[in-house]
């Protein structure tokens, strides 16, 4: 019997508005869009932020047995969650069919999401109108408390505390459960309870972490967002296995998100900061969540031969120091062969010996672990890092 496996991919992780600032490239600047492929091949898309465009350009019809389907859940109608819709190219092909789910907004009334489509694409806001969108589209209204099956998966919706309302979605698949709780602020007893129900025992809890705990307590109170600390408290309270910090503030640089992640990891065992291109496999052998980051080094790569000393923290949280040789180097990063398995999204101190005018000199670099693959060298891992300064 094969083990059911689900794949969760992050296409957009930024909150409020897209960023193209170089200081935010490592985590990514596209607004919310998350994809879950269930073991039965059903494709779920959570939110239609600008990340949806990339998903569309890599589009392949959902695989799996029988009749694969795509179900798209929109949490609410703020710009950052709908802006990718007109740029999702599969919507323009008549062979495609999509099932959309969202709530009836009191500001829009019946068929709220359908109206959003029409308004977004009304002239003069977009060069073509809705008649160009040829894919079959079915719209279903959902509200907090609803629960229903889609093939072998179970969907549950719950209200979250956010201006003009927002739904959180929980998807239970045979490979594990994902709870998606973007855009929510703690502090409303009833809605806090609703969030706890949504997140109960989830394998992956994706939670709003836009603000620091200090901002949340002062200047950003009432803005409808949460912090890493609230995410950790929630994950502990409901016994969630892995917490993913999501909806990064547009003003948070990569360095700031690194620091948020570091603090969260001091308080909770399994935490990642959502990063564009990151995928998490659920239900894989060993029942461990496996996270992968995309290859981010696009610069020219050079084969090299630099002796290096690498210090870092292992997957299990232990400090290590190891001598190695760096053989693959670019201006942005390197692929380093290590016996130790560092933690994904952790920092490595890389001290390389480079030739200088007076013989060898050492160069100190700070690397951030973006991927871990098996190495051609026995007993080693190929660790991809980007240099952060
Ligand atoms: Zn948002
Ligand atoms: Zn919002």
């Amino acid at each position: 019997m094969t083990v059911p496996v689900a794949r969760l991919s992050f296409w957009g992780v930024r909150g409020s508005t897209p960023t193209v600032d170089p200081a935010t490239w490592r985590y990514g600047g596209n607004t919310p869009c998350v994809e879950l492929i269930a073991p039965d091949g059903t494709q779920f898309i959570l939110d239609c932020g600008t990340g949806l465009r990339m998903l569309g350009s890599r589009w392949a019809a959902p695989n799996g047995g029988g009749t694969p389907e795509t179900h798209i859940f929109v949490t609410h109608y703020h710009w950052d969650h709908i802006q990718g819709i007109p740029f999702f190219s599969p919507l323009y092909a008549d062979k495609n069919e999509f099932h959309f789910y969202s709530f009836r907004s009191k500001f829009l009334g019946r068929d709220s999401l359908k109206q959003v489509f029409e308004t977004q694409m009304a002239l003069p806001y977009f060069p073509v109108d809705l008649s160009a969108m040829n894919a079959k589209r079915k719209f279903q209204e959902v509200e907090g408390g609803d629960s229903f099956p889609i093939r072998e998966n179970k969907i549950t919706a719950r209200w979250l505390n956010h201006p003009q309302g927002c739904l959180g979605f929980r998807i239970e698949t045979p490979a594990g459960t994902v709870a998606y709780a973007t855009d929510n602020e703690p502090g409303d007893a009833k809605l806090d309870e609703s969030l706890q129900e949504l997140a109960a025992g989830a394998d992956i809890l994706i939670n709003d972490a836009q603000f620091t705990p200090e901002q949340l307590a002062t200047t950003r109170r009432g803005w409808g967002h949460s912090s890493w600390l609230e995410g950790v408290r929630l994950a502990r309270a409901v016994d969630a296995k892995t917490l993913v910090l999501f909806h990064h503030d547009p003003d948070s640089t990569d360095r700031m998100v690194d620091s948020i992640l570091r603090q969260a990891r001091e308080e909770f065992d399994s935490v990642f900061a959502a990063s564009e291109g990151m995928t998490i496999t659920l239900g894989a052998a060993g029942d461990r969540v496996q996270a992968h980051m995309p290859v981010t080094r696009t610069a020219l790569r050079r084969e090299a031969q630099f002796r290096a000393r690498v210090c870092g923290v292992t997957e299990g949280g232990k400090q290590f120091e190891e001598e190695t040789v760096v053989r693959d180097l670019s201006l942005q990063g390197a692929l380093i062969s290590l016996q130790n398995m560092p933690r994904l999204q952790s920092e490595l101190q890389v001290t390389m010996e480079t030739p200088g005018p007076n013989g060898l000199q050492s160069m100190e670099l700070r690397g951030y672990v973006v991927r871990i693959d098996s190495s051609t060298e026995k007993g080693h891992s190929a660790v991809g890092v980007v240099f952060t300064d």
Side-chain angles (χ1 to χ4, degrees):
M1 214 183 101
T2 53
V3 187
V5 169
R7 203 185 71 237
L8 179 69
S9 306
F10 291 83
W11 298 91
V13 302
R14 189 68 52 178
S16 308
T17 187
T19 61
V20 290
D21 183 336
T24 61
W25 72 271
R26 199 150 37 82
Y27 287 99
N30 279 302
T31 64
C33 180
V34 174
E35 178 193 30
L36 177 70
I37 308 282
D40 62 7
T42 309
Q43 180 188 38
F44 297 99
I45 297 174
L46 296 156
D47 275 329
C48 297
T50 60
L52 185 66
R53 187 183 68 87
M54 290 294 287
L55 201 171
S57 49
R58 307 260 178 87
W59 180 256
N63 50 29
T67 50
E69 295 170 5
T70 300
H71 298 262
I72 304 182
F73 294 82
V74 177
T75 58
H76 63 306
Y77 306 106
H78 288 160
W79 277 115
D80 51 327
H81 299 259
I82 59 167
Q83 215 165 0
I85 293 170
F87 301 95
F88 185 52
S89 54
L91 278 171
Y92 296 86
D94 53 15
K95 64 177 187 352
N96 294 330
E97 183 176 332
F98 296 96
H99 303 260
F100 285 94
Y101 304 79
S102 65
F103 67 89
R104 182 185 295 200
S105 160
K106 73 173 183 195
F107 300 93
L108 297 168
R110 269 178 76 93
D111 295 325
S112 291
L113 186 58
K114 225 168 153 179
Q115 289 186 55
V116 165
F117 271 66
E118 283 157 13
T119 317
Q120 265 190 327
M121 295 187 66
L123 309 178
Y125 300 113
F126 198 69
V128 296
D129 69 19
L130 198 60
S131 65
M133 239 182 218
N134 287 318
K136 284 180 221 53
R137 302 182 302 277
K138 289 183 179 158
F139 293 90
Q140 190 176 321
E141 279 183 358
V142 287
E143 60 173 318
D146 285 359
S147 192
F148 51 94
I150 293 179
R151 301 179 73 204
E152 61 180 39
N153 314 288
K154 184 181 162 199
I155 318 302
T156 304
R158 285 278 188 272
W159 291 118
L160 302 177
N161 187 28
H162 194 62
Q164 298 95 50
C166 179
L167 284 177
F169 293 105
R170 174 187 176 95
I171 306 178
E172 293 170 49
T173 81
T177 296
V178 175
Y180 179 65
T182 186
D183 297 61
N184 74 83
E185 177 166 353
D188 177 304
K190 209 170 138 217
L191 293 172
D192 287 351
E193 200 184 312
S194 157
L195 174 59
Q196 292 207 357
E197 285 164 9
L198 187 86
D203 294 284
I204 309 287
L205 165 59
I206 303 168
N207 195 60
D208 185 330
Q210 179 151 357
F211 300 138
T212 62
E214 299 72 35
Q215 285 176 315
L216 188 59
T218 55
T219 54
R220 298 290 186 262
R221 193 184 201 142
W223 288 36
H225 296 287
S226 192
S227 73
W228 67 265
L229 183 58
E230 292 295 337
V232 164
R233 284 180 182 149
L234 173 64
R236 276 202 206 119
V238 302
D239 212 8
K241 294 193 183 64
T242 292
L243 171 67
V244 179
L245 307 173
F246 190 72
H247 206 272
H248 309 307
D249 192 87
D251 289 331
S252 287
T253 60
D254 291 332
R255 274 274 170 233
M256 288 155 84
V257 179
D258 288 348
S259 138
I260 285 171
L261 174 62
R262 207 163 34 236
Q263 295 174 72
R265 279 182 168 170
E266 281 167 19
E267 303 290 329
F268 194 71
D269 204 33
S270 183
V271 191
F272 295 100
S275 174
E276 214 170 279
M278 181 169 103
T279 64
I280 295 179
T281 309
L282 284 101
D287 203 27
R288 221 185 94 236
V289 170
Q290 299 180 343
H292 300 270
M293 309 269 285
V295 182
T296 31
R297 293 187 309 136
T298 47
L300 284 173
R301 291 167 59 175
R302 286 280 180 273
E303 286 193 17
Q305 193 70 253
F306 294 120
R307 287 165 54 88
R309 193 175 71 247
V310 180
C311 304
V313 179
T314 64
E315 186 75 73
K318 276 201 350 238
Q319 301 274 355
F320 74 87
E321 190 175 325
E322 181 179 341
E323 304 280 335
T324 185
V325 175
V326 175
R327 295 197 171 85
D328 181 334
L329 187 71
S330 76
L331 283 177
Q332 284 178 336
L335 196 64
I336 307 174
S337 175
L338 292 178
Q339 278 176 298
N340 283 290
M341 172 96 78
R343 184 178 255 195
L344 194 70
Q345 296 190 322
S346 71
E347 213 169 72
L348 296 182
Q349 301 291 338
V350 182
T351 312
M352 268 195 290
E353 283 183 355
T354 55
N358 309 313
L360 287 178
Q361 58 187 41
S362 65
M363 177 164 69
E364 302 253 357
L365 292 162
R366 217 198 309 237
Y368 170 91
V369 179
V370 291
R371 63 181 296 135
I372 299 163
D373 289 318
S374 52
S375 168
T376 45
E377 220 176 321
K378 204 167 163 254
H380 284 64
S381 308
V383 178
V385 299
V386 293
F387 296 128
T388 52
D389 40 69

